[in-house]
Amino acid sequence: MCEISKELIERLSKATKVVVSTGAGISAESGVPTFRGEDGIWKKMRPEELATVDGFMSNPTLVWEWYQYRRDLMNKVEPNPGHYAIAEFEKIFPEFTLITQNIDGLHARAGSQRILELHGNILKNKCHECGQPFDDKINLDGGLPHCGCGGMIRPDVVWFGEMLPQDTMGEAFQSAEDSQVFFSVGTSSLVQPAATLPYMASRAGAYVIEVNIEQTPLTPISNVFLEGKSGEVLPRIVEALK
Ligand code: BJW
Ligand code: ZN
């Protein structure tokens, strides 16, 4: 088990501006599969077919079936101690920002209040053409859902090649730049622009802490690498701060 040093806890005790940026690894202990790695989604499914506009346009039924399957899964799982520890961080640090690449909604269910969702949310839908939110329940038995404008309804998530929500991204970059401590938790640090955030924080003087079960491209520039499951490491930090 990784050591959480006295020095780290002292630094955190003094910190006021703290950012936590999470990826799929934080939800792995809840039973949500990650994307990369041995058991990752992209080992069995092709991202070009499922997570791009071209994939959706070529086979919307396949993409919808995949998202409906994941919605069902996410309705069955629960937040884990890692999500709850981050919700505690929000109460501990005066200026705290949670940024997530995840679309699973588990941070909100664990009690986090302010969440910058960079890649959208699987519980929401929108029109692919006009962007209008679509609140009706999706039932594929009645055929593919369409908007009044004729456009296809799609999950409100960000696929490869698409821009991230600009306001959310702006806030994320600003909080990374202003942070004193930046946590990168359970992400492979490969997907842009989210992967740039810790580098930006580091260049602006933040202390970068990475929590992951294995090293990533971010590890060499991190000030501390806490090797282990986020559901085990993060609650130990909360405990030490009490
Ligand atoms: C644990 C753990 C435990 C496990 N505890 N840890 C060349 C061509 C075209 C585009 C590009 C290109 N080069 C770069 C790009 C841009 C592209 C990109 O970055 N691609 C790279 C892959 C190369 N990015 C984009 O396209 C983005 N848009 C953009 O840049 O717009 C401008 C632009 C447009 C066009 C061209 C160029 C620029 C959009 C990215 C959207 C990503 N979308 C997805 C799907 C979202 C919807 C859905 O979920 O269905 O987002 S893909 C997928 O990856 C998902 C994730 O949010 C994202 C990141 O994955 P994450 O979270 O890091 O998960 P994993 O699985 O990779 O890692 C898990 C980690 O957890 C591992 O490290 C484990 O070790 C660890 N772990 N258990 C702690 N218990
Ligand atoms: Zn529309």
Side-chain angles (χ1 to χ4, degrees):
M1 186 157 306
C2 66
E3 189 212 351
I4 295 170
S5 69
K6 251 195 181 146
E7 188 207 330
L8 176 68
I9 295 303
E10 269 167 28
R11 190 178 277 272
L12 283 171
S13 306
K14 289 186 200 133
T16 53
K17 297 177 184 177
V18 174
V19 170
V20 172
S21 179
T22 64
I26 185 93
S27 297
E29 290 155 78
S30 293
V32 180
T34 60
F35 293 91
R36 296 163 189 85
E38 269 317 298
D39 299 322
I41 291 174
W42 300 149
K43 269 268 144 67
K44 296 162 218 138
M45 325 278 239
R46 298 187 59 214
E48 300 84 352
E49 284 177 13
L50 297 171
T52 63
V53 171
D54 284 353
F56 180 61
M57 289 304 178
S58 317
N59 196 344
T61 306
L62 174 78
V63 174
W64 262 122
E65 281 171 353
W66 186 55
Y67 276 95
Q68 291 293 77
Y69 162 78
R70 289 170 70 209
R71 269 182 190 164
D72 284 350
L73 171 75
M74 284 163 197
N75 277 330
K76 287 181 194 135
V77 301
E78 297 295 332
N80 68 59
H83 297 106
Y84 288 111
I86 293 172
E88 287 297 311
F89 278 3
E90 196 168 357
K91 297 177 195 152
I92 294 171
F93 300 111
E95 288 180 56
F96 178 75
T97 305
L98 171 58
I99 303 168
T100 188
Q101 295 173 78
N102 298 347
I103 61 167
D104 57 29
L106 287 174
H107 283 301
R109 285 173 56 196
S112 285
Q113 301 282 323
R114 197 170 145 264
I115 308 161
L116 300 178
E117 291 180 319
L118 298 182
H119 294 164
N121 190 307
I122 198 167
L123 298 176
K124 296 182 188 159
N125 304 303
K126 66 176 181 186
C127 171
H128 182 64
E129 298 304 329
C130 71
Q132 182 82 9
F134 183 84
D135 297 329
D136 293 3
K137 203 169 161 43
I138 302 291
N139 180 357
L140 295 178
D141 296 343
L144 291 170
H146 283 81
C147 173
C149 81
M152 274 202 280
I153 302 297
R154 55 168 282 183
D156 193 355
V157 300
V158 181
W159 288 324
F160 285 114
E162 291 192 299
M163 300 297 286
L164 279 67
Q166 288 306 290
D167 290 357
T168 309
M169 201 57 218
E171 280 188 64
F173 274 112
Q174 192 61 56
S175 54
E177 206 156 41
D178 292 346
S179 65
Q180 295 158 332
V181 176
F182 187 105
F183 282 88
S184 177
V185 179
T187 171
S188 55
S189 294
L190 292 172
V191 175
Q192 296 295 351
T196 301
L197 291 165
Y199 290 87
M200 188 178 228
S202 177
R203 273 198 299 274
Y207 192 77
V208 176
I209 302 169
E210 186 180 27
V211 180
N212 203 306
I213 53 171
E214 60 185 33
Q215 298 204 5
T216 74
L218 180 68
T219 313
I221 74 118
S222 299
N223 296 88
V224 176
F225 176 65
L226 298 176
E227 184 174 0
K229 293 182 176 179
S230 43
E232 293 171 7
V233 174
L234 295 175
R236 285 170 59 210
I237 296 177
V238 170
E239 211 39 55
L241 285 170
K242 278 183 180 166

